[in-house]
Structure formats: structure tokens, C-alpha cells
Amino acid sequence: MHYPVRGGVFRRTRQVCKAVDGVSFALEEGETLGLVGESGCGKSTVAKSVVRLLKPTAGNIVFEGQDITKSGAGDLRRFRREMQMVFQDPAESLNPRHTIGQILEEPFVIQKLGTTAERGEWSADLLRRVGLPEDARNRYPFEFSGGQRQRIGIARALALKPRLIVCDEPVSALDVSVQAQVLNLLLELQQDFKLAYLFIAHDLSVVQHMSDRVAVMYLGKIVELAPAVELYRNPRHAYTKALLDAIPEADPSRRRERRLLKGDVPSPINPPEGCAFGHRMSHPRWQESVGMDLRLRELAPGHWVQPCPCCVG
Amino acid sequence: MTEPLLEVRDLRVGFQTEEGLLTAVDDVAFTLESGKMMGLVGESGCGKSVTARTLMRLLEQPSGRVLKGEVLLEGRDVLTLPLEAMRRIRGKEIAMIFQEPMTALNPVHRVGRQIVENILLHQEIGANAALKRAVELMEWVGIPAPDERINDYPHQLSGGMRQRVMIAMALSCNPKILIADEPTTALDVTVQAQILDLIKRLQKDTGMAVILITHDLGVVAETCDDVAVMYAGRIVERGPVETVFRSPQHPYTKGLMGCLPRLDHPPKTMLPIIPGMVPGLRDLPDGCRFAARCPNPHGDEVLTERQPWKDCGGGHGVEACACFAKTL
């Protein structure tokens, strides 16, 4: 996914922002793929491209064997029954002027499903399913706490019985005790409805907890992709190691000297050639990665790593 | 016994609203020694930021009221000081940094000028000397090429660099206490690690005390000496970090620690949860405020009477609700 960055008098394209560059992955039924990385690494852009809220510059998105990359509005409406999204900020993704009932019935209205009575019944079912009282239907979003609003967001995503839900930072605005409740709800729903999740968060411990496999993104590229346990036990890419190292652990007996990363996440406008992380670390072998084929390689069964000499020893 | 640097006694703070007086902080007490880092943790609305703002006399006006209690800074009660005297303490003896450095910095002034402003306000030195001091401070907090960055506007800096500017500003007058209100919540984990490391290093260099307000138990475990856990306006447990994390006593502290996803746990397993949600300020019980969400069974008296504070030794104490006090 590339964005033109325009400038000058005639708004010519001066630079290209490569928000996401050469990302590939597959997701099975009932599986959770976690996507983790720091702000600006392109995780949300991937999320929006998958459900086609954005149109990728190049590449394909294939859903159940059908290429939806170039689909028009009509086709997409059909696919959106199957794929839904849960957003980070439930306060901003729920219309403040609609009652919860209206919000939950809107997917049925758009898809022309059911009668008014049926829609009401369905929305009541949805509320029960996510642990909210039925009478919530007549109330407005502001009457609910952050955690409850996120439950409403999840209920709306469930309305059309999708097979894939893209969760973009679903718990990062929530307090820890509420976060645990929402994570448990997502796990239950996945088991009950055989949902696949693309689960995006910046918090590696949350992603690790929710996922079968985890992909680590850095500056628009996936640098490592592995089963969750394997990634934690045996990280191969230097960036994954740095990310794991930076997580504060809630256990003072395991306090340790951390290896601190220097500098900030660089801008995706004109990213460096070769391995971007090796470049940030001024690694002596970074130069070797320029011009190399940096597509992921399978180093162990299911464990894919960007094979740059600077970050993978 | 020597006098502690800061002693907070029975602090109660409320807000006058259309629905009457709501108590946000209810009889909070703690002491802070110099050179120590204390973590104040709790979920949103538990009163941790209100407590911090009260220490700085920065309560939202006109609704905020201190209803009771004392805040003794080396024996002087800062709550009763005249405003003029308070102004000399604020920024000089107690300094504060905030969660979002973009809103705490003035967007239309260069960062150098903002650091210099604080120096000139509290120290009798000339403008050139202040500027030189600002460059030194920026170098001290790890800003590369400080003599160039000093002319930048806040929007030209990254989030981590902005927080470093805030820290430079806060430390410009060698405060005795630094209050850091969620200083790393808006930052990425790798940058968070840098900033926490910086605060620890500066604390060691200067011997100042730090109150670190956060919702992140991991941050507390990694950086603080002591911790106070707040729930619905009250401190429910406090003590040295090692003790509280090794043997938490209050069911809320236990619940909070249990519900964190951990890297070394198997993925896709159910987390232990604290059911329900934090009660609103309007309907707080007089007794144990955690009772409605607590896994232990309760008698009625627990809900109507404030439960006694119990000392567990070694500086570890807990609000000993009848539901678990027998096991202490």
C-alpha cells in the first residue's frame, strides 16, 4: 500500500510513502494471526486493506478463493457479510446519535435481511451474547463505559455471522481488568463461531496471548512470522528480540538490564534500502542487505524470517 | 526518625458537580523518602491523577476541593501555603511531567524558550546563562544535537523526544520530587523503555524522589521501589514492590495481577478476570469498595463500614476487609 506525498505548486507527487510494502500472509478458518509492531509500522493499513476499506497499490487479497482486490462496491457488500472489523476506539466507531438497537440493526438494514421484528430479536440476541442486558437497545453509546462500548462494537461485528473479524487494537483503550474480560469474550466467540481473527495490537503480550501465529512488522514489512510460542521462545530477528526485551514484566524478581534500542521508528517516506532495522541500528553488515532478496524464508517449520545478514545471526 | 521528604495524611478531595459533591480521593495517606521511586497504580478513575494534581495544587477549578488532610513537604503543609509561596515550590521543588507531551508543551514556542522560561522564573541567572543551561539539560536527557534542537518547535520532534524535553524542563531547577503522570502511556514500548531508563538514571544522578503514576503493573515492577495500589479513590494496598508483587494481600491487587496476559503463558487460554466494573463516584459504598467485584463472600457490615488499615510488617500494609483479614 503506497501513498503519494504531494507537494509544490502543482501538487505533483514528490515522494512515495510506502506504508505497507510487500506483505504476504495467509489465514485459515478459526485461526488467529497476530500482527504486532510500533506505531507507523503499517499494521492498521494492512487491516484496512484486508477488509478493502483501502485499495492496495499492488498485490492481491484472496478471500475463500476469490480475488477481491479489484471488486466494486456491489461485490464488496456481499463480502462484507463474511468479514467485519472491530476498531480501537469504541467511542468513535459508534454513532453517538443512534441507539444501540439502531447500531446493531444497521448491518441487517444494509444487507436487507429480516423484518423489523426479526431485526429487533437478533439485536437482543447479540447483546446477550456479548454479556450486555437486552434493555441496552434503547440507550445511547455515551451511557456505556469503554468496555461495554467495545462489547457493542464486537456485537455489531458479529451481526452478519462473519467468518473473519479484523480486530484493530481492540483493547488498547481499555483498563487492564476490562481488557481481560474483552479478550476472554473474543476467545469464547472464536470457539463458538469458528471465527478467524486478524488481531492487531502494539502490545506483544496481548498479541501473544490471543494468537496461533504472530507476524512482527517493522516499517511496512513483516520481518518475522512464527507460531506464537515459538516466536516468544526462539525469536530470530533482531527487531523481534528488541521488542520482546522492551516489554516491562510484572515481576520485580525478574528485573534485568535491558538492551535499549536507540532512536525512533523511522518515517516510511523514503525508507532506507535493504533492511530498515539494520539501518536504524547502524549495523556493520547492513550494507550487505542492500539489493538482497529480503522475502521471508522458512528457517524452521512454520517459522519465517526476513533473511538479512545484519539482523538474523 | 528523620522527617520524610513528603508526607500525605488523610487526604480527601472532591468535586462540586450538579449532582452534588463527589469524592474522588478518600483518605489517602503515604510517605515518600528522598531518592525513592513510588508507583501509584490503578485503573482510570481511581483517583491517582487527582492525588498527583492535589500535591501540585493544580486541582481543576472552581469545582475541585480539598476536603481534608495535609500534604507535608519537609514539614510544611503545601495545601495551606499562600499562592505566591506555592508558585515558588511548583516547578522548583516539585515538578511534574504529563502523559501527552504534545498538549503539555506550547506549540507556538520553540522548545528552548520553554525550558529557559522555567529557569528564569526560579533562578537568578541571565538569559544567556539560562540558554546555555537549557542546552546542557537537553544533552543530559539524551537529545542529540541539542544546540540545533533547541530552536525546534514541539511538532518537529517525535513523541519520545518531546517527552525528553518535558523531562529537561521539569528537572531544570533540580526539584526534590518529580511527579510523572503516565509519562510513557502514549509512547511505543521501545521508546517507553528508553524514557523509563532515563528517569531512573536521572533519579540516581540527582537523588530526587519520583512518584510514577501508571496503570501498567509491568512498568511499576521494573522501575519502582514502592507501590501503592488505588481503587475507587482509596489506597487498598501499599508496600515495597518486591513484597507486594510476591505476596499481594488485597483481592483487588491479586485480581489485577492475575488478569494480565503474560508472554510465558500458553496462548489462547482464558484469563482470570475481575467481574463487573469500577463503581461510579456517585454510588460508592461506605465500606469496602471492592466488595461487589470481590471473589470472597461478604457480610453486610463490610459494605457499610470502612475496613481498617492493617500493617503486615516491612512497610507493607493493606485495607484489611473482613472477607480476607483472617488470613493475614
Side-chain angles (χ1 to χ4, degrees):
Chain A
M1 184 73 214
H2 296 183
Y3 295 97
V5 178
R6 294 174 201 276
V9 184
F10 297 106
R11 312 295 296 164
R12 284 205 187 96
T13 301
R14 290 289 171 88
Q15 289 166 315
V16 176
C17 171
K18 298 186 175 178
V20 172
D21 196 24
V23 162
S24 303
F25 57 82
L27 187 57
E28 308 288 333
E29 182 180 272
E31 188 197 27
T32 305
L33 176 68
L35 204 53
V36 68
E38 295 177 276
S39 39
C41 74
K43 3 179 238 306
S44 290
T45 307
V46 169
K48 289 180 186 154
S49 307
V50 167
V51 294
R52 273 297 315 277
L53 289 175
L54 292 172
K55 201 169 183 179
T57 316
N60 300 304
I61 296 154
V62 180
F63 185 75
E64 297 188 317
Q66 265 184 289
D67 190 339
I68 60 164
T69 326
K70 302 248 151 43
S71 302
D75 280 344
L76 279 179
R77 183 166 298 166
R78 206 153 39 79
F79 281 112
R80 294 228 168 97
R81 280 196 204 181
E82 312 275 334
M83 44 167 77
Q84 286 289 319
M85 193 155 171
V86 174
F87 298 90
Q88 170 172 1
D89 192 332
E92 283 176 32
S93 55
L94 302 177
N95 188 332
R97 290 159 187 274
H98 285 186
T99 62
I100 305 307
Q102 285 172 305
I103 289 170
L104 293 180
E105 286 167 32
E106 196 170 14
F108 305 123
V109 174
I110 292 173
Q111 298 284 348
K112 303 193 176 67
L113 297 171
T115 61
T116 314
E118 280 172 327
R119 287 171 190 163
E121 223 169 275
W122 292 339
S123 65
D125 279 345
L126 287 168
L127 283 170
R128 266 197 304 275
R129 193 62 205 83
V130 298
L132 289 175
E134 258 178 65
D135 61 13
R137 274 165 57 206
N138 304 319
R139 289 156 57 194
Y140 288 88
F142 76 90
E143 299 177 64
F144 295 89
S145 70
Q148 291 172 324
R149 283 197 285 244
Q150 197 55 289
R151 287 173 193 267
I152 296 165
I154 292 169
R156 176 176 61 182
L158 281 177
L160 298 168
K161 303 200 168 64
R163 315 202 41 205
L164 166 67
I165 297 184
V166 174
C167 306
D168 190 4
E169 303 267 10
V171 294
S172 37
L174 305 178
D175 272 318
V176 277
S177 72
V178 181
Q179 165 179 297
Q181 296 172 357
V182 172
L183 292 179
N184 280 359
L185 174 66
L186 286 169
L187 286 173
E188 272 171 41
L189 295 172
Q190 177 166 48
Q191 281 173 1
D192 293 356
F193 298 106
K194 298 231 173 352
L195 291 165
Y197 289 142
L198 180 61
F199 189 93
I200 297 172
H202 65 276
D203 184 336
L204 188 45
S205 27
V206 171
V207 170
Q208 149 92 15
H209 181 79
M210 294 298 290
S211 305
D212 297 290
R213 292 183 301 145
V214 176
V216 180
M217 279 189 80
Y218 185 74
L219 208 63
K221 293 193 164 81
I222 292 179
V223 295
E224 186 159 5
L225 173 66
V229 178
E230 164 83 0
L231 188 87
Y232 166 65
R233 289 209 189 123
N234 191 15
R236 300 294 290 270
H237 195 277
Y239 181 63
T240 314
K241 291 179 190 169
L243 213 50
L244 281 166
D245 216 38
I247 297 175
E249 269 189 84
D251 185 353
S253 64
R254 291 182 30 190
R255 238 181 239 198
R256 64 217 188 271
E257 277 302 306
R258 306 153 187 244
R259 289 156 292 172
L260 287 177
L261 269 187
K262 290 208 181 66
D264 294 304
V265 184
S267 154
I269 299 174
N270 294 336
E273 282 181 78
C275 170
F277 190 66
H279 183 259
R280 170 170 169 190
M281 302 308 285
S282 334
H283 194 280
R285 294 185 66 189
W286 164 74
Q287 199 64 43
E288 292 171 40
S289 74
V290 178
M292 252 182 85
D293 178 6
L294 288 178
R295 276 177 297 183
L296 297 183
R297 235 171 264 170
E298 194 170 17
L299 296 191
H303 193 149
W304 298 78
V305 185
Q306 171 184 289
C308 51
C310 44
C311 300
V312 182
Chain B
M1 212 180 104
T2 55
E3 194 175 54
L5 178 61
L6 181 79
E7 187 174 4
V8 175
R9 287 185 189 161
D10 304 330
L11 184 66
R12 186 178 293 171
V13 183
F15 291 95
Q16 191 67 49
T17 69
E18 287 170 4
E19 295 162 69
L21 187 69
L22 300 178
T23 311
V25 171
D26 191 22
D27 287 0
V28 158
F30 60 87
T31 55
L32 181 68
E33 313 276 342
S34 40
K36 292 280 185 190
M37 176 116 89
M38 189 184 92
L40 202 52
V41 307
E43 299 180 272
S44 27
C46 71
K48 51 193 195 304
S49 291
V50 174
T51 305
R53 285 172 171 270
T54 310
L55 304 186
M56 290 284 276
R57 295 262 300 267
L58 287 175
L59 267 187
E60 204 182 304
Q61 292 303 325
S63 58
R65 306 258 157 86
V66 175
L67 303 169
K68 193 176 130 208
E70 293 173 316
V71 174
L72 302 174
L73 175 67
E74 296 178 316
R76 287 165 298 169
D77 186 358
V78 302
L79 297 180
T80 55
L81 284 178
L83 276 183
E84 191 52 39
M86 189 58 215
R87 215 168 279 148
R88 281 196 295 275
I89 289 180
R90 201 187 285 141
K92 185 155 192 286
E93 297 190 35
I94 312 180
M96 188 160 176
I97 56 176
F98 300 89
Q99 174 173 352
E100 189 25 84
M102 196 61 212
T103 47
L105 289 168
N106 189 327
V108 300
H109 289 312
R110 299 176 196 274
V111 296
R113 176 175 162 178
Q114 302 189 47
I115 301 176
V116 165
E117 186 184 13
N118 195 35
I119 301 175
L120 289 178
L121 196 65
H122 291 296
Q123 297 174 22
E124 287 180 15
I125 57 173
N128 281 334
L131 203 62
K132 208 167 137 241
R133 173 97 177 109
V135 174
E136 285 167 14
L137 282 164
M138 286 172 73
E139 189 166 9
W140 193 39
V141 299
I143 298 176
D147 36 357
E148 292 167 33
R149 291 289 83 74
I150 200 161
N151 291 318
D152 282 352
Y153 290 94
H155 73 265
Q156 292 171 290
L157 302 172
S158 67
M161 284 300 149
R162 273 183 227 136
Q163 198 55 284
R164 284 173 197 267
V165 169
M166 282 299 299
I167 293 171
M169 208 187 290
L171 298 191
S172 61
C173 298
N174 300 316
K176 293 175 181 145
I177 301 174
L178 175 70
I179 301 175
D181 189 357
E182 303 263 9
T184 58
T185 307
L187 305 175
D188 278 313
V189 274
T190 59
V191 182
Q192 163 171 289
Q194 293 169 2
I195 297 292
L196 291 175
D197 187 68
L198 173 71
I199 293 177
K200 270 213 98 84
R201 177 168 65 79
L202 298 176
Q203 184 198 18
K204 242 175 236 154
D205 290 356
T206 61
M208 66 181 175
V210 178
I211 299 177
L212 182 73
I213 297 171
T214 177
H215 65 277
D216 189 333
L217 286 169
V219 168
V220 172
E222 295 240 351
T223 56
C224 295
D225 303 298
D226 297 295
V227 58
V229 181
M230 284 190 79
Y231 184 76
R234 291 179 183 163
I235 291 180
V236 293
E237 184 157 10
R238 81 172 177 252
V241 162
E242 287 81 14
T243 322
V244 173
F245 278 78
R246 189 171 3 97
S247 53
Q249 297 299 327
H250 199 279
Y252 178 62
T253 318
K254 286 182 184 171
L256 209 52
M257 287 175 185
C259 71
L260 286 177
R262 297 174 85 118
L263 283 167
D264 49 358
H265 284 183
K268 300 185 89 165
T269 45
M270 290 290 164
L271 291 165
I273 58 162
I274 305 175
M277 52 187 197
V278 181
L281 292 182
R282 259 167 253 108
D283 32 40
L284 291 175
D286 292 329
C288 177
R289 292 188 168 166
F290 188 62
R293 303 175 73 188
C294 184
N296 301 335
H298 286 86
D300 283 345
E301 79 284 5
V302 166
L303 286 171
T304 47
E305 272 166 57
R306 175 136 191 188
Q307 301 296 298
W309 185 262
K310 186 158 180 218
D311 210 335
C312 310
H316 184 196
V318 64
E319 186 171 291
C321 177
C323 75
F324 70 99
K326 292 181 288 296
T327 65
L328 281 173

